[in-house]
Amino acid sequence: MREPASGPGPRPGSGPGPGRRPGFAPGRDAAPPVRRPSPRRPSLRRLGAPLGVAAGLGAAAALVAAVDPNEPGHYPVCPLLRHTGLLCPACGGLRGLHALLHGDLAAALRANALAVPGYAVFAVLWAVWCVRAVRRDGGMPLALRPVHWWGVGLLVLAFTVVRNLPCGDFLTP
């Protein structure tokens, strides 16, 4: 067995080397352990954005549920409808939301047949966003390619054109 060298030089492993500070003693000067959040307990910080969106939309939905958009004077008139007489894709959306919040699905679909499925799609995407935030999988769940966005745009355009034609009067609010 080899004996440690005695002399004026530092002992092996005692001086400042890679990853060591001068005067550091492992048992005495150890840094406190880093506290990491438990993976089982969801952080409210991660749920802040989805819950903020839900609070804002919940307040808006409560206003639409309380103040009937069928009565004139409570909400602004659609500028496209006012100036051109054409219905935009969102025309009737508030009336549809009001009917939906009061449990009348048929009236909601008559008011805006595109907005009602849009509300359902948004609710599903919001739920997926919350689950991903809790699981720490990332942010928003929707990562569509440009071809999908073009498809959504064409659907909205076709809906707008058909509802403004004489044959599409079943889509007018």
Side-chain angles (χ1 to χ4, degrees), residues 28 38 84 95 149:
R28 182 185 58 174
S38 170
T84 65
R95 287 174 278 194
W149 287 111

Side-chain angles (χ1 to χ4, degrees), residues 148-158:
H148 296 121
W149 287 111
W150 279 103
V152 170
L154 287 174
L155 174 70
V156 170
L157 180 66

Side-chain angles (χ1 to χ4, degrees), residues 139-167:
M140 294 293 291
L142 190 61
L144 295 178
R145 294 187 302 217
V147 67
H148 296 121
W149 287 111
W150 279 103
V152 170
L154 287 174
L155 174 70
V156 170
L157 180 66
F159 175 75
T160 305
V161 168
V162 170
R163 79 186 313 201
N164 283 296
L165 292 175
C167 64

Side-chain angles (χ1 to χ4, degrees), residues 64 69 89-99 108 111-112 115-116 119 163 173:
V64 171
C91 282
L94 286 179
R95 287 174 278 194
L97 182 61
H98 180 77
N112 191 321
V116 175
Y119 301 145
R163 79 186 313 201

